[in-house]
DNA sequence: GTTGAAAAACTTCCTTT
DNA sequence: AAAGGAAGTTTTTCAAC
C-alpha cells in the first residue's frame, strides 16, 4: 500500500469504469502495471467489489432512520437476525447504553414501523429508539 | 422503472464490472438493449455512479463511530461545515432531541477525539454524543 | 429491441529493470 | 518483485433494420 495504490483507490472510487490506460496515465504507470496493482488490491481485499451507487429515493426508499436497539442479552450472535430484515442497510454492535445500532431504509414511515416490529421480535431485544432523518447532507466513500 | 430495470440494478450492485452481454442474458435481453437501459438509468440518476467498495480497515480507518450533534441554531445550512471534515462519511439532519447525526471513520480513538473537537468548532454546536462501534455485522447496498 | 461490424479496452504473456 | 510493451481476445459502441 504505497501512495500510488492510494491514488488508484481514489480514482476508482470516483469512477470505477475508467479504463486502465487512463488510470495509469493519471498515476504515471503503464496500463499493464496499473492492471496488476488493481488486481492485487482486489486479491488482498482492499477493494471488496465493484458496484453501482443507487439513489434510494429513485427506487422508493425515501425514508431513512437510525435505530438504537437495546437488548437484555448479548447481541454479538444476532447478526443473522438483523441481516434477515432486508430494509436494514447496516447493523453494528455498539458500546454505550444501547446494544446495537441499525440503519433502516423504507418507502414509508408505516413500513418503518413494521421494521421496528420485526426488530422487536429478535430474541433479547427489549427496546428500540428510532431517529428519523429529515435531510441527508451527504454520504460518501471512505476518505483516503 | 420496470422489473427488468430492477433486476439490472441488483446485478450491477453485486458486480458492476459484469459485461453487458452477461447482464442481458440474465434478464433476457440483447447486449445492446441492456446497454441502453443502463445508460438511461444513469441519465435519470437512478445509478449515481460506478465505484469500488474499499475496506476501511485496510486503509487504516478501523475506528467507526456515530455522533449525535446538538445545536442551538438551525443546522440546515451547516452541510458544508460537516463536509469540510474528511473523516465524516455521512451527515444527516435528524428529527428528535439532537440536530444532526454523523458517521465518522478514523484510524484511532485519538483521531476520533480530534474530529469531535472540530465538530464542536462549528457555529451553534452545543454538544456531541459519540457512540463507538465495536463490531460491524454488515453494511450492504440499498435492497431492491 | 435486435443484429452485425468497427473501435476500444482488457487480459495475458514475455521481456526488462 | 515490479513495470513496460505487444498480441490475441473480449467488450463496447454505433450503425441500420
Amino acid at each position: 500500500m504505497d501512495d500510488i495504490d492510494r491514488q488508484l483507490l481514489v480514482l476508482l472510487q470516483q469512477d470505477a469504469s475508467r479504463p486502465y490506460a487512463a488510470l495509469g496515465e493519471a498515476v504515471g504507470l503503464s496500463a499493464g502495471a496499473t492492471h496488476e496493482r488493481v488486481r492485487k488490491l482486489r486479491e488482498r481485499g482492499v477493494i471488496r467489489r465493484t458496484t453501482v451507487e443507487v439513489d434510494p429515493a429513485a427506487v422508493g426508499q425515501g425514508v431513512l432512520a437510525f435505530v438504537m436497539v437495546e437488548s437484555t442479552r448479548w447481541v454479538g450472535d444476532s447478526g443473522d437476525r438483523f441481516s434477515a430484515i432486508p430494509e436494514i442497510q447496516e447493523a453494528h454492535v455498539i458500546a454505550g447504553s444501547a446494544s446495537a445500532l441499525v440503519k433502516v431504509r423504507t418507502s414509508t414511515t408505516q413500513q418503518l414501523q413494521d421494521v421496528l416490529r420485526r426488530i422487536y421480535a429478535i430474541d433479547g431485544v427489549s427496546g428500540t429508539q428510532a431517529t428519523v432523518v429529515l435531510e441527508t447532507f451527504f454520504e460518501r466513500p471512505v476518505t483516503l
Side-chain angles (χ1 to χ4, degrees), chain A residues 66-67 75 82 88-94 99-103:
Chain A
F66 289 89
V67 182
V75 290
F82 289 109
I88 298 183
Q89 203 186 349
E90 300 179 18
H92 310 272
V93 180
I94 57 176
S99 304
L101 175 56
V102 303
K103 183 178 179 181

Side-chain angles (χ1 to χ4, degrees), chain A residues 63 104 106 108-120 128 130:
Chain A
V63 176
V104 178
T106 60
T108 63
T109 52
Q110 188 76 25
Q111 276 203 359
L112 172 59
Q113 193 177 5
D114 187 58
V115 170
L116 294 178
R117 189 183 54 69
R118 278 179 276 163
I119 290 174
Y120 248 104
T128 62

Side-chain angles (χ1 to χ4, degrees), chain A residues 41-42 67 119 137:
Chain A
L41 285 170
R42 282 183 209 284
V67 182
I119 290 174
F137 282 139

Side-chain angles (χ1 to χ4, degrees), chain A residues 1-135:
Chain A
M1 265 299 282
D2 59 5
D3 192 55
I4 291 182
D5 282 335
R6 265 183 290 276
Q7 284 183 53
L8 288 174
L9 288 175
V10 169
L11 293 169
L12 286 172
Q13 277 182 341
Q14 290 167 2
D15 182 5
S17 64
R18 197 180 320 227
Y20 286 121
L23 274 179
E25 191 180 5
V27 300
L29 257 67
S30 72
T34 304
H35 179 258
E36 180 64 7
R37 276 185 180 259
V38 174
R39 191 190 63 74
K40 283 179 184 166
L41 285 170
R42 282 183 209 284
E43 189 181 70
R44 283 158 44 203
V46 177
I47 295 177
R48 286 190 174 139
R49 62 172 164 180
T50 304
T51 186
V52 293
E53 253 183 45
V54 174
D55 179 10
V59 293
Q61 310 239 24
V63 176
L64 171 61
F66 289 89
V67 182
M68 295 282 197
V69 181
E70 284 173 48
S71 176
T72 57
R73 304 164 57 184
W74 171 236
V75 290
D77 310 310
S78 305
D80 293 344
R81 302 295 303 273
F82 289 109
S83 180
I85 303 174
E87 290 88 347
I88 298 183
Q89 203 186 349
E90 300 179 18
H92 310 272
V93 180
I94 57 176
S97 53
S99 304
L101 175 56
V102 303
K103 183 178 179 181
V104 178
R105 283 191 194 275
T106 60
S107 55
T108 63
T109 52
Q110 188 76 25
Q111 276 203 359
L112 172 59
Q113 193 177 5
D114 187 58
V115 170
L116 294 178
R117 189 183 54 69
R118 278 179 276 163
I119 290 174
Y120 248 104
I122 296 175
D123 302 328
V125 169
S126 56
T128 62
Q129 192 190 328
T131 301
V132 175
V133 169
L134 301 176
E135 179 194 350

